[in-house]
Amino acid sequence: MPKDHGIGASSKRREDKRFLTGKGRYTDDINLPGQAHAWFVRSQVAHGRLTSVDTAEAEAMPGVLRVFTGTDFEGVGGLPCGWLITDRFGQPMQEPGHPVLARDKVRHVGDPIAVVVAETAEQARDAAEAVEVEIDELPAVLDMRAALEADAPLVHDELKNNLCYDWGFVEENREAVNAAFETAAHVTTLDLVNQRLVPNAMEPRVALGDFNPATEDSTLYTTSQNPHVIRLLMGAFVLGIPEHKLRVVAPDVGGGFGSKIFHYAEEAFCTFAAKQLRRPVKWTCTRSEAFISDAHGRDHVTRIELALDAEGHFQALRTETHANMGAYLSTFAPSVPTWLHGTLMAGNYRTPLIYVNVKAVFTNTVPVDAYRGAGRPEATFQLERVIDKAAREMGIDPVEIRRRNFVTEFPYATPVAVEYDTGDYHATMDKLLEIADVAGFEARRADSKSRGRLRGLGLNCYIEACGIAPSQLVGQLGARAGLYESATVRVNATGGLVVMTGSHSHGQGHETTFAQVVADMIGIGEDMVEIVHGDTANTPMGMGTYGSRSLAVGGSAMVRATNKIIAKAKKIAGHMMEAAPEDIELKDGRFTVAGTDKSVAWGDVTLAAYVPHNYPLEELEPGLEETAFYDPNNFTYPAGAYACEVEVDPETGKVTICSFAAADDFGNIVNPMIVSGQVHGGVAQGIGQALMEAAAYDEYGQLLSGSYMDYAMPRADDVPFYRVDHSCATPCTHNPLGVKGCGEAGAIGAPPAVVNAVIDALHRGGFTDVAHIDMPLTPSRVWAAMQG
């Protein structure tokens, strides 16, 4: 029977009541007395020298309080990068400055140049149009390979070239990998593109800065996935505000997918301007601005080669990738194509030798950073596409070639420096074949053929690394922050709990699942547990939400803090019942002396903690509140197998997704309903990348797909109802909950499944010369491939 409460139950999301009834409180809902409004003047060219910014006319317009330019930020720090990559020659990456407002140069369309602050948003917008900007336009560098040529225009004049870093991993494997290719029975090579994407969260970014002259405290309300990190970066590195004088509040956040992890110029500006003007300053992003100011995702160009023996066993793998950084280094950008990508190139397979080379390149485009999956989708797409191509070339069934190479013994140390603690890849493949009804595919293909359609089946496997850790290791790899998480559990006298966490929710359902965990440990109702997050003033220092880390890292911190609570409560209960603490058991909200019928309720013990009449204060101080930090020993490694069936119209090239199945191993599951929802959402985003989404620039650096009229995203009728399963669980061995993370899996596993299905459909339809089509597989691209 399914559980009806606690860990393992599909408890309804408690936060949905306020969202569905319009009672959510987002940053744009916050308005402070006397607030002014900001409007950004942004570069309309991709590359140029900023010769003058004339603000006189704008400053004279009604309601205008002040017009800020780059000169106002002289002496103010630039936006920091949170990860330093050391290249394969032992040299640090080239790290140019990233000013809050452009000074001498503009480097991408959307680069902020000036900001008008006025009484109303309308007045600020009108005045912004009156700011006269003169730019000597320079050639824009957009293609990554062209950007590395000796005569390419420099995005940053102070750098020697446009190469951020040339990273090799594992560098000492390079010669052995090359030798393995020389002797391999078969080599498969594939050139592919993982196209640039725009995250497009439902809620655009908003920043509201406030300053209290009496206390000299600054407050920033912002749409952020990690308010503590924003406070650290903005306070210490940009504006020079001591952390105890800076509060960052992230209320309800309407989606992020990674784009709201990073510290943005608009946040620093509103905080700075509020202090300058002695009144609150608010900026609300328009959707058009979001396309040219939010960090983009992906944008890799790769050649991948797979060496196999005559039986199809993997011998070696090597890749060469050009990764676009855009015009500046966003907060975690350097780590995405390196440590979040290269370390996953082993996939689910025993490949003894792997070498990954990544050249990160500056171009005159919007900065690129982590987007749902962050490096893992890029690695999986490369690997699963080249495996499918190898299977076809060698005449091996695509399921069989994967089974022959699966890792089967755990723990397993890969040649790319990570160790998988648990997994069962045969089990997830078996489950996939069952729920996808692969046995019935031929009958469905015959039906499609009778209607003039080509039907294909695509399968793939994935593994990802979640809960990036431990801090000591990632520090050695270049991280400039710890990657722990924190929790404070405060028990009230009447037994209810408030759990304060550094993990922020932007759609994951934390207020539900975290409460399930704590309530289950104590044996009380979930409604007795309140989850508080998003405000640096009342939560312990934490690293936020990204990388599917919330439950594995944040939840583990809660478990530690709750265990401290229980240990102290047992001491109090022991005094109340005249028994040793080690003889006290807690179950279903009651403390019992083992082997007796003596018991006391949870609420009685919590009351005694605050009305300490029943235990000696020289042994136990009053109160019941504990804090814990959790720094994992290792990543967690969710894994799974996905299958997609498509129909292709040979007359038009249009692809229709007929069915999609996902079998995932997420370890232990706290809330199955929420997990299924996360997979559904991720698969939809993966389908969007596979078939329709792309950020396209023209030769002048103008974003051609800069609105919803031009940037296609999947709608309800573009996706089927998915069949998902997460019963093949192998619990994580190194966190107390045994959980692995689920939020990004769908976006990782879906793109190669879709592309593999389309290529399969074409081959079954006689178009055997089509080896690969780059995403998005639009009708025109598929049709063109069929025409040769």
Side-chain angles (χ1 to χ4, degrees):
M1 290 288 292
K3 291 186 66 175
D4 60 0
H5 66 279
I7 294 176
S10 289
S11 300
K12 291 184 178 179
R13 288 172 30 124
R14 60 169 69 179
E15 48 269 79
D16 285 350
K17 182 177 181 179
R18 70 175 185 272
F19 296 147
L20 294 172
T21 58
K23 303 299 182 183
R25 188 170 184 258
Y26 299 89
T27 309
D28 195 49
D29 294 322
I30 301 172
N31 293 292
L32 302 179
Q35 76 182 14
H37 296 264
W39 200 276
F40 281 74
V41 178
R42 300 183 182 275
S43 176
Q44 297 182 23
V45 301
H47 194 199
R49 299 201 182 279
L50 194 57
T51 58
S52 71
V53 182
D54 187 345
T55 63
E57 183 180 348
E59 289 171 336
M61 292 181 69
V64 172
L65 301 172
R66 183 169 169 182
V67 181
F68 292 82
T69 66
T71 58
D72 294 297
F73 284 82
E74 291 178 359
V76 174
L79 304 182
C81 177
W83 205 296
L84 171 68
I85 294 297
T86 300
D87 72 12
R88 63 192 184 93
F89 306 106
Q91 298 301 309
M93 66 187 186
Q94 293 199 95
E95 189 173 359
H98 186 178
V100 175
L101 296 179
R103 296 175 194 168
D104 302 320
K105 232 183 166 189
V106 291
R107 296 180 175 88
H108 68 89
V109 172
D111 210 356
I113 297 170
V115 191
V116 177
V117 180
E119 296 287 353
T120 69
E122 293 76 14
Q123 290 171 330
R125 180 193 59 203
D126 291 345
E129 294 178 356
V131 175
E132 295 184 6
V133 177
E134 291 188 5
I135 299 173
D136 285 343
E137 192 167 355
L138 299 169
V141 56
L142 305 165
D143 178 84
M144 286 185 279
R145 288 190 174 93
L148 296 181
E149 294 177 0
D151 58 350
L154 288 176
V155 177
H156 294 273
D157 295 347
E158 69 272 24
L159 303 186
K160 58 186 178 182
N161 52 40
N162 292 319
L163 180 68
C164 179
Y165 54 76
D166 182 353
W167 183 79
F169 188 69
V170 175
E171 191 63 27
E172 52 265 33
N173 284 354
R174 180 192 281 248
E175 291 186 8
V177 167
N178 292 340
F181 273 89
E182 293 296 325
T183 59
H186 183 86
V187 173
T188 295
T189 301
L190 182 62
D191 293 300
L192 50 81
V193 173
N194 210 292
Q195 81 272 31
R196 179 182 287 239
L197 302 175
V198 180
N200 283 317
M202 185 177 293
E203 177 200 21
R205 291 188 296 115
V206 182
L208 171 58
D210 191 21
F211 179 73
N212 186 336
T215 62
E216 295 193 340
D217 290 338
S218 293
T219 300
L220 170 69
Y221 301 89
T222 184
T223 46
S224 175
Q225 297 175 216
N226 50 359
H228 282 280
V229 172
I230 302 305
R231 181 179 68 159
L232 174 64
L233 295 178
M234 188 176 71
F237 299 103
V238 185
L239 301 181
I241 304 173
E243 281 188 88
H244 67 283
K245 306 300 287 183
L246 176 61
R247 176 189 178 197
V248 176
V249 182
D252 289 329
V253 173
F257 314 119
S259 69
K260 293 173 184 171
I261 299 172
F262 324 118
H263 177 38
Y264 287 97
E266 295 86 0
E267 295 169 318
F269 173 80
C270 288
T271 308
F272 176 84
K275 182 175 182 179
Q276 295 292 308
L277 297 173
R278 295 298 199 265
R279 60 188 293 183
V281 175
K282 183 176 185 178
W283 168 77
T284 299
C285 186
T286 67
R287 186 60 68 179
S288 296
E289 275 186 295
F291 273 93
I292 55 174
S293 65
D294 291 3
H296 292 175
R298 315 287 193 251
D299 208 349
H300 290 189
V301 177
T302 297
R303 166 164 286 189
I304 181 168
E305 298 170 285
L306 177 63
L308 307 94
D309 68 14
E311 287 74 42
H313 297 108
F314 303 164
Q315 301 298 297
L317 182 79
R318 64 186 175 195
T319 72
E320 182 176 342
T321 291
H322 287 75
N324 204 334
M325 295 288 99
Y328 302 101
L329 290 177
S330 181
T331 307
F332 293 116
S335 68
V336 174
T338 51
W339 299 112
L340 299 184
H341 158 244
T343 53
L344 268 294
M345 285 309 304
N348 310 61
Y349 311 106
R350 301 184 308 272
T351 307
L353 291 166
I354 298 175
Y355 180 73
V356 179
N357 177 242
V358 178
K359 295 177 176 64
V361 185
F362 292 111
T363 63
N364 293 119
T365 60
V366 173
V368 175
D369 210 318
Y371 171 64
R372 197 170 192 170
R376 284 74 58 87
E378 295 90 323
T380 300
F381 186 72
Q382 297 169 32
L383 186 59
E384 292 300 317
R385 282 294 299 123
V386 80
I387 290 172
D388 236 45
K389 186 169 185 276
R392 185 163 283 113
E393 291 173 349
M394 298 185 72
I396 304 174
D397 179 80
V399 173
E400 174 58 26
I401 197 171
R402 288 172 169 85
R403 287 193 187 277
R404 288 183 193 180
N405 291 282
F406 277 157
V407 173
T408 56
E409 296 182 3
F410 296 88
Y412 175 76
T414 76
V416 277
V418 294
E419 183 175 280
Y420 306 157
D421 60 330
T422 60
D424 190 341
Y425 309 143
H426 282 288
T428 52
M429 179 62 81
D430 291 342
K431 178 58 70 172
L432 176 72
L433 299 180
E434 173 193 332
I435 65 174
D437 185 24
V438 172
F441 170 73
E442 286 300 331
R444 295 189 293 274
R445 187 168 80 90
D447 176 68
S448 297
K449 185 176 181 181
S450 71
R451 292 181 284 104
R453 299 291 187 266
L454 310 179
R455 196 178 190 101
L457 171 64
L459 302 102
N460 72 281
C461 299
Y462 80 90
I463 189 168
E464 59 169 323
C466 301
I468 306 168
S471 292
Q472 182 179 16
L473 171 62
V474 297
Q476 294 170 0
L477 302 181
R480 289 164 167 164
L483 292 174
Y484 54 84
E485 200 44 81
S486 61
T488 295
V489 178
R490 177 181 299 157
V491 184
N492 299 316
T494 52
L497 294 88
V498 178
V499 180
M500 293 155 279
T501 172
S503 297
H504 188 277
S505 177
H506 52 283
Q508 292 85 353
H510 291 174
E511 294 171 37
T512 302
T513 52
F514 288 166
Q516 286 179 257
V517 169
V518 175
D520 194 82
M521 292 179 67
I522 298 170
I524 58 177
E526 294 163 22
D527 59 351
M528 293 182 65
V529 182
E530 188 75 16
I531 306 298
V532 175
H533 59 90
D535 187 341
T536 62
N538 58 22
T539 57
M541 176 71 175
M543 292 294 105
T545 298
Y546 46 86
S548 301
R549 72 190 300 270
S550 298
L551 197 57
V553 187
S556 294
M558 290 179 196
V559 169
R560 282 192 170 183
T562 304
N563 278 332
K564 290 182 180 181
I565 292 287
I566 292 171
K568 182 175 180 180
K570 283 183 176 181
K571 293 179 181 179
I572 298 172
H575 280 287
M576 295 173 70
M577 294 185 287
E578 299 180 335
E582 55 268 25
D583 293 331
I584 303 297
E585 298 174 344
L586 173 60
K587 184 178 180 181
D588 297 331
R590 294 195 71 83
F591 295 91
T592 303
V593 180
T596 75
D597 58 359
K598 294 178 66 175
S599 69
V600 61
W602 166 259
D604 293 334
V605 173
T606 61
L607 181 62
Y610 293 94
V611 186
H613 298 162
N614 295 311
Y615 62 88
L617 295 177
E618 64 271 16
E619 294 182 25
L620 282 172
E621 63 185 31
L624 206 50
E625 180 175 327
E626 298 288 350
T627 296
F629 288 77
Y630 178 74
D631 198 333
N633 296 323
N634 191 3
F635 299 129
T636 66
Y637 298 99
Y642 284 15
C644 177
E645 284 188 31
V646 301
E647 281 187 343
V648 178
D649 183 345
E651 297 297 322
T652 65
K654 177 176 171 53
V655 176
T656 300
I657 296 186
C658 305
S659 66
F660 200 102
D664 296 291
D665 174 3
F666 296 135
N668 293 336
I669 302 295
V670 170
N671 189 308
M673 178 188 68
I674 288 178
V675 168
S676 294
Q678 287 277 24
V679 175
H680 284 202
V683 168
Q685 284 184 281
I687 289 171
Q689 175 172 15
L691 295 184
M692 55 192 70
E693 294 187 44
Y697 283 92
D698 70 10
E699 61 184 305
Y700 304 105
Q702 297 293 331
L703 183 62
L704 299 176
S705 52
S707 75
Y708 287 152
M709 293 294 289
D710 307 294
Y711 187 95
M713 291 193 296
R715 301 186 182 189
D717 60 354
D718 292 313
V719 298
F721 189 83
Y722 322 107
R723 294 191 291 275
V724 303
D725 179 272
H726 33 76
S727 64
C728 301
T730 59
C732 176
T733 60
H734 54 77
N735 68 54
L737 290 167
V739 297
K740 295 185 178 183
C742 69
E744 297 166 292
I748 296 169
V754 175
V755 177
N756 286 347
V758 173
I759 300 301
D760 183 65
L762 298 186
H763 275 253
R764 292 176 187 270
F767 299 96
T768 55
D769 290 338
V770 181
H772 179 70
I773 306 172
D774 276 325
M775 300 184 292
L777 275 65
T778 58
S780 61
R781 285 188 175 182
V782 175
W783 184 88
M786 289 190 290
Q787 308 313 306

